[in-house]
Amino acid sequence: MKILVAEDDELTRKGLRELLETEGYTVVEAADGTQALALVAGESPDLICLDIMMPGLDGYEVCRQVRARGNVVPILFISAKGEEIDKVVGLELGADDFITKPFGVREVVARIRAVTRRCLAARSSANGASTAKPFAMDDLQVVPDELRAYRGEQTVDLSLRDIKLLQLFHDNPGRVLDRNLILNECWGVDYLPSSRALDQHISQLRKRIEQDARSPRIITTVHGAGYRYDPPRG
Amino acid sequence: MRRQLIVVLVLIVVLPMGLLGWLGFRMAGNERELVRRRVSELQAARLRDIDERIQRLLDQRARTLLELTEELPVFDPGHLRRLVRRTPEVEQLFVHGEDGRLLFPPLASGLSESERQFLMRARTIFTERLLWHMEEREQSFLTQSGEVVQGFLQHAPNEPVQEDTQQLVGRQGQQAEPQGQTVAGPEQATSPQMREQRARVPQSLSQSLPESLHLQPTSGYGWYAWYWESGLHLLFWRHDRRGFISGAELSRMRLLADIINELPVAALSPASGPQDTAGTIALFDSRNRVIYQWGDDPVDAAAAPAVQLALSAPLGAWQLRYYQDGPAEIGGSAAMLTGIAAFLAMAGVLIGLSVYLYRESTREWREAHQRVRFVNQVSHELRTPLTNIRLYAELLEQRLIDADERSRSHLQVIVSESHRLSRLIGNVLAFARHRRGQLRLHCTSGVVDDTVSAVVEQFRPSLEGKEMVITLTLAAPQPFRYDADAVEQVLANLLNNVEKYAAAGGRVSITTTQEGDSCVVRMADRGPGVPPDKRQAVFEPFVRLDDRLTEGVAGTGMGLSIAREIAHLHGGDLRLAPSQQGAVFELVLPMADEDKVEQ
């Protein structure tokens, strides 16, 4: 999924980019409203993170023009203007959600995941069939469209990248996947973190999906080679 | 609202100004009228003065003629003719016998040309015995009025005697008005106004006459005026002891010359006042021809005079008229200027007052607008770097999963402090937005347990960093309407106090319960607690915003007073519960209907 981040403050924009790419999204940046509108037309993002107070066209105007063109892409306002009236105006203009600065990383991630779920569900219903069917890994039931996994009554929220990783391992049962392959498949050629970052990501993922992260059963480490998913026998 | 205000202010200016303008206009008009009347009165007085001069002349002439015609020797026509020639004021003498015969000029003997012309002019007088009729009227005049009223009578040649008598008896004491008198037509010797004129003897004349000439019931004298061709002719008559009526026709030219001689040289006396304006006085005859005028400019007889006065009898057919030079509007200019000055001054005052009132009334709006704009700008400027601090701190936190505990702890400090700074900025901006710290709630349906959890999680790192144990017992799952942000700030304030004052106690327990219609959040620590004499004082408001911003007790920028105010706005309370150890704060929120919560 591609996310357009429209934010005039460079530091905030770069920080959001890093956060969203960690989540598994492809990010395009816009520094003002005019550039944002051009990128909406040129890049067709799946989601827009839109600051309000930008030079030239402000976020409200960008949202209005996007909606005026009939584009229903999800829009998430991220702004220092946090009064109720500001939120009401934004939502009335057609935005899907509103985050007030300063925001927590977890809050942004949670809201973007929520919007992503709605996006994926809409795609599934539009296509008539699920683009990614739920699958099971050990006792974990992974539902890609919901960006969630279930173990009994326990629910685990997953990022897009998490889904990609699990999907990759699920599609390659019993096979050792080296780091380069995993990076290529799940991070793409445009964004290659260090292998350490990969290890950290898998470590974090294990904490959420494994019953015991110190003795993982779904994603196991093959020292010196990579990682592997061993489906349960029988 | 602004439009209404502008309309009201415009009315405040326009209505009084309209009234003032109208009053000023009226005042100027009244002033002009007043001045005009004064000038008219002044001019009328001058005309009356001229009239009196002419009357004195005629009185003098009457005295002269009384002496001259005392027992004229009617049977010596030569003597009488010589008398005529010697007396330039006299055009012709006459004697009229009581049998109606004209004794002089003698009809039987030859008449001179002037005598013939005289007879032609005065034929009707003698044939109709008009003088005899007048003499009879003189008798009745005296009898009925009982005073000396002889002098002259004006008489229309063909009018009944009785009528004239009645009119003359009935109207006494009236003098000619300065204006409004119309002149009789050229065919009439008299006008109704002239008939109304009171016959009088000037007091000066009756006192100066010799005793023998004083009026007696059987004697009389007077003037007779009539028209003949070229104009007015004047005849003096008297009744002598022999029963004759004798008299003289005055020379018109001589009379006119004498009248002109008696008139003032200039139309205006040297002592004219400041209200005098330049003008022309003219003497008109009954044919509306100028007999004489003062002033340089030729008089337009058709023009309306400013003042006019008919001369006293026997010249009542003549009129004095005053024509004013210069603009018709006199005297009101000063009042007009004063009025305009007052109008402009008042307009200036009212406009200034209206502008001041408008600015004052909109000042609150403008200040609020500026405040909101400032707050928005400051909000954006403060929150942007704060956003970056928090964002990058949390990103770093994710990267440093495997970092040592100390590094992670430092990062947590950065994150928690950024949270605290965020709350502080939020409170400052909220205070700036709502003047005097008036708080407003934005209530939405929510679960208190979620709010409590969120605040506890924010403070967990710093509290655990001070080796405090947090005991959380959440039992308020039922959603109800409350302002989550405001309640979060209350709880943050309480936890901040716990962190500052009760960390040594090592424990803080937070419980939520829902009992009946109330939801209670209870926070108990094991710190030193609040001294009994300060149990109410802790809720007292801080003095100024500045105090609230300083580090110290008011770390979050809100005192317990505002925390309690938030509770009260919800319809609940924030109280300090009795405890044996530490401080126990209870936040009570009613789980009421929407209507009961202030918004």
Side-chain angles (χ1 to χ4, degrees), chain A residues 13-224:
Chain A
R13 192 170 67 243
K14 296 296 182 194
L16 280 172
R17 184 190 189 108
E18 180 177 326
L19 174 65
L20 295 173
E21 283 179 343
T22 304
E23 279 291 300
Y25 300 97
T26 305
V27 177
V28 290
E29 295 178 37
D32 56 56
T34 307
Q35 196 177 6
L37 278 177
L39 287 172
V40 168
E43 296 283 341
S44 300
D46 299 298
L47 190 146
I48 304 175
C49 288
L50 198 49
D51 185 22
I52 292 177
M53 293 180 73
M54 289 189 292
L57 291 177
D58 65 10
Y60 287 143
E61 185 58 27
V62 170
C63 179
R64 197 190 65 77
Q65 289 197 28
V66 167
R67 291 291 183 251
R69 294 173 192 175
N71 195 335
V72 296
V73 59
I75 294 177
L76 183 67
F77 274 121
I78 299 178
S79 181
K81 292 175 66 123
E83 285 288 293
E84 183 180 359
I85 186 64
D86 303 312
K87 294 178 185 176
V88 167
V89 169
L91 295 171
E92 285 289 329
L93 283 172
D96 293 79
D97 208 344
F98 199 109
I99 301 177
T100 307
K101 288 179 185 176
F103 46 78
V105 160
R106 284 191 287 271
E107 183 184 2
V108 172
V109 165
R111 289 182 189 264
I112 286 181
R113 283 183 187 177
V115 172
T116 305
R117 284 188 205 107
R118 290 200 290 273
C119 238
L120 293 173
R123 274 190 202 171
S124 296
S125 60
N127 292 341
S130 175
T131 51
K133 294 178 183 172
F135 56 90
M137 296 177 79
D138 197 26
D139 57 347
L140 191 71
Q141 192 73 17
V142 180
V143 183
D145 286 351
E146 292 181 18
L147 295 179
R148 283 196 184 105
Y150 299 93
R151 174 177 285 115
E153 292 184 359
Q154 185 187 0
T155 304
V156 180
D157 287 328
L158 300 171
S159 72
L160 208 59
R161 200 176 306 284
D162 296 336
I163 298 292
K164 284 182 183 175
L165 276 167
L166 292 174
Q167 187 80 64
L168 179 66
F169 282 112
H170 177 265
D171 292 346
N172 295 279
R175 184 181 159 195
V176 176
L177 305 176
D178 67 22
R179 286 182 175 78
N180 286 336
L181 187 142
I182 295 170
L183 285 172
N184 286 337
E185 290 295 320
C186 298
W187 268 262
V189 296
D190 296 328
Y191 180 65
L192 284 176
S194 65
S195 58
R196 181 173 166 69
L198 170 63
D199 293 336
Q200 282 182 343
H201 194 100
I202 290 178
S203 173
Q204 288 294 314
L205 181 59
R206 278 171 173 166
K207 285 179 182 175
R208 284 181 281 136
I209 64 172
E210 298 282 0
Q211 288 194 24
D212 183 1
R214 284 170 297 192
S215 300
R217 281 169 52 183
I218 298 175
I219 301 176
T220 56
T221 304
V222 179
H223 290 286

Side-chain angles (χ1 to χ4, degrees), chain A residues 11-12 83-84 105 200 204, chain B residues 388 392 394 401 433 442:
Chain A
L11 287 175
T12 308
E83 285 288 293
E84 183 180 359
V105 160
Q200 282 182 343
Q204 288 294 314
Chain B
N388 292 334
Y392 280 85
E394 290 182 3
I401 294 171
R433 194 174 287 114
H442 305 282

Side-chain angles (χ1 to χ4, degrees), chain B residues 237-492:
Chain B
W237 62 269
R238 56 97 36 90
H239 192 102
D240 66 19
R241 293 195 191 91
R242 298 168 295 180
F244 297 155
I245 295 180
S246 57
E249 183 195 10
L250 295 185
S251 164
R252 291 187 72 249
M253 302 307 295
R254 181 56 185 253
L255 176 64
L256 193 60
D258 289 342
I259 287 175
I260 291 170
N261 273 343
E262 287 298 319
L263 296 176
V265 173
L268 303 174
S269 64
S272 303
Q275 287 188 331
D276 292 339
T277 57
T280 305
I281 297 180
L283 182 61
F284 282 80
D285 65 8
S286 61
R287 287 192 171 91
N288 213 29
R289 296 176 301 190
V290 177
I291 300 170
Y292 185 75
Q293 76 169 61
W294 295 261
D296 297 328
D297 298 326
V299 170
D300 180 9
V307 184
Q308 61 186 16
L309 172 69
L311 291 182
S312 301
L315 300 174
W318 288 3
Q319 275 200 344
L320 284 167
R321 294 180 194 168
Y322 170 70
Y323 293 89
Q324 185 176 308
D325 293 343
E329 296 294 323
I330 55 172
S333 57
M336 180 70 84
L337 282 175
T338 306
I340 289 173
F343 183 87
L344 290 175
M346 192 67 173
V349 167
L350 284 177
I351 289 172
L353 187 66
S354 299
V355 167
Y356 173 75
L357 287 175
Y358 179 76
R359 285 189 62 83
E360 285 300 307
S361 68
T362 57
R363 177 161 58 159
E364 209 169 305
W365 177 84
R366 278 186 281 116
E367 284 178 354
H369 185 67
Q370 285 171 358
R371 200 163 48 242
V372 168
R373 212 165 52 215
F374 166 75
V375 165
N376 286 341
Q377 195 62 33
V378 168
S379 171
H380 183 260
E381 295 302 323
L382 288 178
R383 283 180 166 154
T384 298
L386 192 56
T387 300
N388 292 334
I389 290 171
R390 188 169 168 181
L391 176 62
Y392 280 85
E394 290 182 3
L395 285 174
L396 194 58
E397 218 176 12
Q398 286 183 347
R399 281 178 170 271
L400 297 179
I401 294 171
D402 298 330
D404 58 291
E405 194 60 33
R406 198 173 185 84
S407 301
R408 293 175 58 79
S409 169
H410 289 324
L411 261 177
Q412 284 173 359
V413 168
I414 293 173
V415 171
S416 67
E417 287 301 286
S418 72
H419 292 178
R420 192 155 75 100
L421 188 59
S422 175
R423 286 196 300 276
L424 182 63
I425 289 171
N427 293 337
V428 168
L429 293 176
F431 183 85
R433 194 174 287 114
H434 308 290
R435 218 164 49 155
R436 300 195 205 102
Q438 291 165 350
L439 297 167
R440 271 186 294 179
L441 299 183
H442 305 282
C443 293
T444 56
S445 182
V447 177
V448 161
D449 284 349
D450 294 342
T451 304
V452 172
S453 297
V455 176
V456 169
E457 287 310 308
Q458 283 181 18
F459 277 85
R460 188 179 290 278
S462 57
L463 289 173
E464 288 178 349
K466 293 190 175 179
E467 297 178 0
M468 289 193 73
V469 175
I470 304 170
T471 307
L472 193 60
T473 309
L474 302 177
Q478 185 181 345
F480 65 98
R481 287 184 68 84
Y482 66 98
D483 188 334
D485 289 336
V487 168
E488 191 174 307
Q489 290 187 352
V490 170
L491 298 173

